[in-house]
Amino acid sequence: MYKVLVTDGISNTGLKCLIEHPNFTVDRQPTLPTKDLKIIIGEYDALIVRSQTKVSEELLKAAGRLRVIARAGVGVDNIDVNAATKKGIIVINAPGANTIAATEHTLAMMLSLARKIPQAHQKTVSGQWDRNSFKGVELYKKTLGVIGMGKIGTEVAKRAKSFGMNILGFDPYLTEERAKKLGMTKASLDVIAQESDFITIHTPLTNDTRGLINDAYLRKTKKGVRFVNCARGGVIDEKSLVRAIQSGHVAGAALDVFEKEPVSDPELLQNPNIIVTPHLGASTVEAQEKVAQEVSAEIIEIFESQSIQNAVNMPQMSGETQAKLQPYLLLGDQMGQLVIQLLNKQAPAKIEINYYGDLIDEDTELLTRTMLKGVLSYHLSDSVNLINALHLLKEQGVSYNVVKNATNKGFANYMELSVSNVIETAKIGATVLNGYGARILKINQYRIDVKPEKFLLYIKHRDVPGMIGKVGSLLGDHQINIGTMQVGRTEVGGEAIMVLTVDKTLNANVIHVLKLIDGLEEAQVLELSNVDTFEPGRLELEKIKNI
C-alpha cells in the first residue's frame, strides 16, 4: 500500500483514479502549515502539490519514504528539484494539461484590453451609464506579434487568425516552413515591435528573456501597441511598461503574471490602462481536472508499472550506467550550454556528438540527452528535461547524430559536441582528466585547456604581440578579476582565441570597450548555470529496476 499526500486544493475528479486504486491511500491536507507538513511527510511515498506548497530542501530532509513529487501544473518553481534529485526523488509535472486554458485566458485578456471590458463593468455596476469613455479597438485586420511559439503561443496564433488578425511570430526554433503551415509570418523581435498592434508573450523566464520587454524595446514599438502577458512574470520589465503607458506610447497592457506575486505595486493595480488577474491562466475546471488526472495516472504508472513519462529530473537508466557516466554528466551539460552560446544564441539546425575512447563501450544515451538538454535549455529553460529533450528536438525540426570512434584523441575518453545552422558551426571538445576534473580542450578549431567556470570570457583576436596585456589591463581598469587565462591559435600571426575565467559577468559597456581594441574581433561572456553539482539521481523503489 502506497501513501499519497495532497497538500493543495486539487480536483477530486482528477484524483479519482488514485483514490479508487486498491494499492494507494490518498490523504488530503490542503491547508497544512509547513511546520505540520514536516512532521508527517515522512509517512508518505508520494506528494502532490500545486503552487502553494513550498517543497524545500529542509522539508525533504524529513521525507524519508518519499519517492515521487508531483506538481499538478507546469512550472516547478516551488519545488527544490536539485534537493529532490540528490535524494533520488522523481519530480513530475503535467506539461500539456493547461495549454487550452492558458490559450483562452490570453485571448480573453486581449479582448478585454481591446474593448476595456473590466473598466466598463466596474463603472456600470457602480451605477454610472457611461457609453462614451470606453471606446475600444477591433482585432480584425490588426497585427498580433507572438513572442514564443511553443504550444500555447501556437494555439493563440491559430485562434487569433479566426479574428482576421495578421500574425507575426518569433521563436528561436520557429522555421519558415512551420510558420507557413500555421498561416503566419516568421519575424524578428524588432519587426514585431515595429509592426504589431498587439504583442503577447509566451516564453519561459530565462537569463535571456528576463527583462526582454524593457525601455529600449518599448521605444521600438508602434505607438498605441497593447501588451498581453499570461506566461511568466519578469519577461516584461514592469517599471518600463508603466512608464511607456504613462507617456501614452503604449495604449495598455493585460497582465496575469508578475515579477513578484501576489502583486502589490499600485502603479500596476491602479492604472486605468492596465488589466490585471491573479495568475489565472490555468484556472479552469477542465485544466485543473486534467493536471490532476495526468499526475495521478503517472504516479500509478511509476509505482505499479515502472514507467516514467514526465519526469523533470529522471531519465531511464541503470544504476551501473549512471555510476560510470557520473563524472561526465555535469561536463556534458556544460558543453551544451557553451556551444549554443558560441552559436551566437541562434537556434541550431543540426547537432552532432562524437564519443572517443572507452566511452564507446558504454550506453551513452543518458550523456547524450544531458548534452542535448544543455543545448536546448538556453532557449527553453525548465521546459526541457532529460526525458523530453529528444521529443523537443524533433518538434523543433533539429536533427542530431551520435558517432562513436575508438580513436582516443590522446585521452582515455574524449567528447566533441558540434551545433550548426545555415550560417555557422560551433564546436566544443572536452574530457574528464583523472585527478584534475573536467577540462574544455577545444573551442571550434582552437586547442585550449580550461576548467569550466560560471563566467568565461571568450575572445577572438589577431595573434599579435601585446594583445593579452591590453585585455588584462582593460579588465583591471573595470574591476574585473581574472582567475585563469588560456590562449589558442592555429598559426603564428593568424587568428587566435583567449579564454579567461572571471569572477563576475561583464556588462555591455565593458564588452563594447573590449571590442575597440585594435585586432580584437569578438568578445563574449559564456555563462554556465551549474558549475558545482549535477546528479540525475537514483530511484530506490524496491519494485523498480533498471532505472
Side-chain angles (χ1 to χ4, degrees):
M1 183 67 71
Y2 302 109
K3 294 186 68 176
V4 181
L5 177 63
V6 181
T7 59
D8 288 338
I10 293 173
S11 164
N12 276 326
T13 303
L15 295 171
K16 184 178 180 181
C17 64
L18 262 181
I19 294 171
E20 295 182 351
H21 198 288
N23 294 337
F24 290 85
T25 298
V26 179
D27 293 339
R28 297 176 61 86
Q29 301 271 8
T31 58
L32 196 66
T34 301
K35 61 182 179 61
D36 295 333
L37 177 57
K38 285 174 63 178
I39 295 172
I40 67 170
I41 190 65
E43 305 172 17
Y44 293 92
D45 301 286
L47 172 66
I48 303 179
V49 302
R50 282 188 65 197
S51 57
Q52 288 182 312
T53 300
K54 306 302 179 185
V55 185
S56 64
E57 182 174 12
E58 184 179 1
L59 176 64
L60 291 175
K61 287 177 181 178
R65 283 177 55 178
L66 198 64
R67 292 296 176 262
V68 179
I69 301 168
R71 167 65 161 88
V74 179
V76 290
D77 298 348
N78 56 316
I79 300 171
D80 190 328
V81 176
N82 289 332
T85 298
K86 290 176 183 178
K87 284 186 66 88
I89 300 171
I90 301 175
V91 179
I92 64 173
N93 63 354
N98 66 359
T99 298
I100 298 303
T103 297
E104 291 183 356
H105 192 65
T106 299
L107 270 295
M109 293 287 270
M110 193 184 308
L111 286 165
S112 296
L113 183 61
R115 300 303 301 269
K116 303 182 181 179
I117 293 171
Q119 299 92 324
H121 167 81
Q122 189 62 41
K123 199 162 189 180
T124 303
V125 298
S126 71
Q128 301 180 65
W129 188 261
D130 183 358
R131 300 185 62 194
N132 299 317
S133 300
F134 304 109
K135 187 175 293 183
V137 295
E138 297 179 1
L139 301 187
Y140 182 60
K141 290 192 175 180
K142 297 297 191 302
T143 296
L144 172 65
V146 183
I147 299 178
M149 287 296 299
K151 291 180 180 178
I152 297 172
T154 298
E155 294 300 322
V156 168
K158 289 177 181 177
R159 286 156 177 77
K161 278 189 65 63
S162 69
F163 286 98
M165 300 187 82
N166 170 45
I167 314 296
L168 303 177
F170 169 82
D171 191 285
Y173 292 95
L174 178 64
T175 64
E176 296 282 1
E177 182 182 4
R178 181 166 170 250
K180 186 176 180 180
K181 286 181 179 178
L182 292 170
M184 56 183 292
T185 303
K186 178 183 177 182
S188 67
L189 287 171
D190 282 354
V191 169
I192 284 177
Q194 294 158 9
E195 299 185 10
S196 297
D197 302 292
F198 292 82
I199 296 176
T200 180
I201 310 297
H202 299 286
T203 70
L205 182 63
T206 67
N207 288 337
D208 227 27
T209 62
R210 187 180 296 277
L212 178 68
I213 310 301
N214 53 26
D215 286 313
Y217 188 80
L218 290 167
R219 282 194 291 269
K220 300 175 185 178
T221 58
K222 179 192 292 190
K223 182 176 173 59
V225 67
R226 292 168 171 85
F227 281 88
V228 178
N229 187 11
C230 296
R232 286 289 183 266
V235 177
I236 296 179
D237 183 296
E238 292 169 356
K239 297 296 183 185
S240 299
L241 179 64
V242 168
R243 283 193 291 269
I245 292 174
Q246 290 175 340
S247 73
H249 182 77
V250 172
L255 308 175
D256 185 49
V257 290
F258 305 88
E259 293 176 14
K260 183 179 180 181
E261 296 180 1
V263 62
S264 59
D265 187 347
E267 289 189 324
L268 295 173
L269 299 178
Q270 298 173 15
N271 191 306
N273 295 312
I274 299 177
I275 296 169
V276 295
T277 51
H279 208 141
L280 298 179
S283 294
T284 64
V285 172
E286 295 86 351
Q288 293 311 304
E289 287 183 359
K290 287 176 188 175
V291 295
Q293 287 167 355
E294 280 196 18
V295 297
S296 296
E298 183 153 3
I299 286 173
I300 293 172
E301 286 293 305
I302 289 172
F303 284 93
E304 297 284 295
S305 305
Q306 301 85 53
S307 174
I308 305 172
Q309 296 297 319
N310 291 309
V312 173
N313 64 338
M314 180 71 69
Q316 295 189 358
M317 58 186 167
S318 68
E320 182 182 1
T321 297
Q322 181 188 332
K324 290 180 179 179
L325 294 181
Q326 192 66 45
Y328 298 89
L329 295 177
L330 171 61
L331 178 58
D333 187 62
Q334 292 170 335
M335 291 171 69
Q337 292 184 56
L338 291 174
V339 80
I340 192 64
Q341 292 177 74
L342 286 170
L343 203 66
N344 292 316
K345 304 177 183 178
Q346 298 300 310
K350 181 180 179 181
I351 301 173
E352 183 165 303
I353 298 171
N354 283 267
Y355 295 113
Y356 299 88
D358 296 341
L359 282 173
I360 68 169
D361 297 322
E362 302 297 337
D363 179 357
T364 54
E365 181 179 358
L366 171 62
L367 185 52
T368 295
R369 286 173 178 254
T370 302
M371 289 190 194
L372 297 176
K373 172 184 171 292
V375 173
L376 291 170
S377 63
Y378 194 87
H379 292 299
L380 302 180
S381 188
D382 58 2
S383 65
V384 59
N385 57 53
L386 297 172
I387 294 294
N388 66 11
L390 302 185
H391 172 74
L392 288 173
L393 276 181
K394 184 178 179 180
E395 192 177 71
Q396 304 297 344
V398 181
S399 65
Y400 83 100
N401 186 42
V402 177
V403 179
K404 293 189 174 183
N405 192 317
T407 306
N408 63 23
K409 290 283 187 176
F411 303 95
N413 291 295
Y414 179 75
M415 308 178 291
E416 276 192 1
L417 173 60
S418 173
V419 299
S420 59
N421 54 32
V422 294
I423 300 174
E424 59 181 332
T425 298
K427 183 181 292 185
I428 291 283
T431 191
V432 177
L433 295 177
N434 200 12
Y436 293 93
R439 315 297 292 188
I440 303 297
L441 300 176
K442 189 176 184 181
I443 294 182
N444 295 328
Q445 71 269 34
Y446 302 101
R447 298 285 183 182
I448 57 168
D449 183 2
V450 175
K451 178 183 176 183
E453 298 285 357
K454 183 171 179 59
F455 301 110
L456 300 175
L457 175 58
Y458 170 74
I459 291 175
K460 184 184 289 186
H461 61 92
R462 291 202 308 272
D463 181 30
V464 295
M467 183 62 69
I468 293 175
K470 291 177 183 178
V471 170
S473 296
L474 191 149
L475 293 179
D477 291 342
H478 287 83
Q479 304 300 307
I480 304 296
N481 197 36
I482 300 172
T484 63
M485 176 185 288
Q486 286 284 320
V487 295
R489 64 184 183 183
T490 55
E491 61 177 330
V492 176
E495 276 195 343
I497 66 167
M498 67 176 80
V499 180
L500 302 87
T501 62
V502 292
D503 293 348
K504 59 182 180 180
T505 192
L506 279 64
N507 62 38
N509 179 58
V510 178
I511 295 293
H512 173 72
V513 176
L514 275 171
K515 290 180 179 179
L516 296 178
I517 295 176
D518 186 34
L520 194 148
E521 299 171 7
E522 184 180 338
Q524 180 183 1
V525 175
L526 307 176
E527 185 172 348
L528 294 173
S529 64
N530 55 341
V531 293
D532 297 321
T533 59
F534 180 86
E535 189 174 346
R538 291 193 300 272
L539 184 62
E540 298 172 352
L541 295 172
E542 292 180 0
K543 295 182 66 177
I544 297 182
K545 307 298 181 185
N546 297 323
I547 296 298

